[in-house]
């Protein structure tokens, strides 16, 4: 009689891909610490793939793994590496992964365009019967693929669409007047009371205080409709805006 207790299946999970021209431990520590301070709850114990495309140096994988542990990150593996570097990564206990066929290089997050054109507004906004704090950050146009907008310590209002491959993050609530096709991350500093409001839900990922759902979990009653994403009894739930 065969043992049916072991089951191994393929699946998809969200993995962050880190690209950095300087893979020295000192450079990684400085840049990662700055990045993690923006959204500590979201990145806590996040699984990371190290993109080595174009890398001219041999990383010290053991030292990098130690750094990731100190920063509460999980280094899963590498991609874009030569066969020699792949072998060294595997000897350090890391997986060697392939870049997707539709991606010759992993996109670098571009925050400049969105940040330069959208200053924090000293104003009061009321949307969907929700009062927004006076220091709310307001983005007037669409957030395009590859862009990231972060509202530190306040709410974020997007008047346009959040495109696929774009990312909007706020320590407070997020209000999206258009369609959200990318990632929306509210309560990034760990506040479980924050919410995401949007007029058309088609997101790749939504997250509140580190709890997230991928698009597969969103494609139900509220898909392509106006919706509110919130935490209830430590679980993400979808609800009507009114």
């Amino acid at each position: 009689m065969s043992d049916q207790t072991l089951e191994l299946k393929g699946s998809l999970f969200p993995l962050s891909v880190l690209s950095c021209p300087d893979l020295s431990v000192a450079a990684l520590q400085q840049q990662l610490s700055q990045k993690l301070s923006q959204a500590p709850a979201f990145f806590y114990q996040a699984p990371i793939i190290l993109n080595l495309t174009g890398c001219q140096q041999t990383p010290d994988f053991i030292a990098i793994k130690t750094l990731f542990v100190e920063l509460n990150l999980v280094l899963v593996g590498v991609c874009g590496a030569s066969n020699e570097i792949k072998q060294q990564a595997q000897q350090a206990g890391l997986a060697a992964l392939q870049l997707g066929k539709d991606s010759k290089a992993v996109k670098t997050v571009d925050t400049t365009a969105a940040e330069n054109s959208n200053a924090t507004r000293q104003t009061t906004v009321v949307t969907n019967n929700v009062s927004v704090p006076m220091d709310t950050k307001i983005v007037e146009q669409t957030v395009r693929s590859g862009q990231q907008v972060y509202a530190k310590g306040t709410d974020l209002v997007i008047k346009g669409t959040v495109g696929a491959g774009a990312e909007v993050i706020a320590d407070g609530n997020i209000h999206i007047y258009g369609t959200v096709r990318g990632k929306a991350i509210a309560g990034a500093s760990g506040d479980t009371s924050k919410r995401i409001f949007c007029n058309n839900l088609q997101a790749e990922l939504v997250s509140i205080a580190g709890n997230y759902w991928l698009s597969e979990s969103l494609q139900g009653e509220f898909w392509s409709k106006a919706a509110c994403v919130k935490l209830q009894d430590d679980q993400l739930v979808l609800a009507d805006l009114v």
Side-chain angles (χ1 to χ4, degrees), residues 3-8:
D3 186 353
Q4 300 296 323
T5 60
L6 179 64
E7 186 174 0
L8 186 64

Side-chain angles (χ1 to χ4, degrees), residues 118-134:
N118 302 286
T120 299
R121 300 293 188 82
Q122 297 297 323
T123 184
T124 299
V125 178
V126 177
T127 174
N128 302 316
N129 297 319
V130 178
S131 180
V132 177
M134 292 187 66

Side-chain angles (χ1 to χ4, degrees), residues 3 9 12 33 36 118 129 140 166 168 181 229:
D3 186 353
K9 291 184 177 181
L12 295 175
S33 296
L36 296 177
N118 302 286
N129 297 319
E140 300 283 355
V168 292
R181 296 190 176 93
V229 185

Side-chain angles (χ1 to χ4, degrees), residues 42-227:
F42 180 73
F43 289 109
Y44 179 75
Q45 293 295 323
I48 306 291
I49 300 296
L50 194 61
N51 180 25
L52 303 179
T53 301
C55 179
Q56 301 300 317
Q57 63 193 104
T58 301
D60 185 341
F61 292 116
I62 299 298
I64 293 175
K65 285 177 65 176
T66 300
L67 172 64
F68 274 47
V69 171
E70 293 173 354
L71 296 175
N72 291 312
L73 297 171
V74 180
L75 184 58
V76 176
V78 301
C79 64
S82 66
N83 289 333
E84 180 180 355
I85 293 181
K86 281 182 181 178
Q87 291 177 2
Q88 295 182 30
Q90 289 169 337
Q91 289 172 1
L94 301 174
L97 307 176
Q98 296 291 330
L99 287 171
K101 294 181 179 179
D102 59 344
S103 176
K104 294 182 180 179
V106 176
K107 276 187 180 176
T108 301
V109 174
D110 176 16
T111 63
T112 305
E115 294 295 333
N116 287 347
S117 59
N118 302 286
T120 299
R121 300 293 188 82
Q122 297 297 323
T123 184
T124 299
V125 178
V126 177
T127 174
N128 302 316
N129 297 319
V130 178
S131 180
V132 177
M134 292 187 66
D135 60 348
T136 293
K137 183 175 185 127
I138 300 178
V139 176
E140 300 283 355
Q141 78 284 333
T142 289
V143 183
R144 297 184 298 276
S145 177
Q147 291 184 320
Q148 181 193 76
V149 178
Y150 173 50
K152 182 176 178 62
T154 188
D155 285 6
L156 175 63
V157 172
I158 308 292
K159 288 191 173 181
T161 290
V162 177
E167 187 174 77
V168 292
I169 304 172
D171 289 340
N173 302 297
I174 296 179
H175 307 258
I176 302 170
Y177 288 176
T179 301
V180 52
R181 296 190 176 93
K183 299 177 182 179
I185 301 162
S189 60
D191 191 337
T192 58
S193 69
K194 301 309 178 183
R195 302 184 180 189
I196 299 168
F197 306 91
C198 63
N199 283 324
N200 191 321
L201 180 64
Q202 299 181 37
E204 297 170 335
L205 175 147
V206 295
S207 173
I208 297 178
N211 299 273
Y212 65 84
W213 273 352
L214 298 176
S215 62
E216 291 84 353
S217 300
L218 300 171
Q219 295 181 26
E221 177 185 356
F222 292 96
W223 186 253
S224 297
K225 296 180 181 178

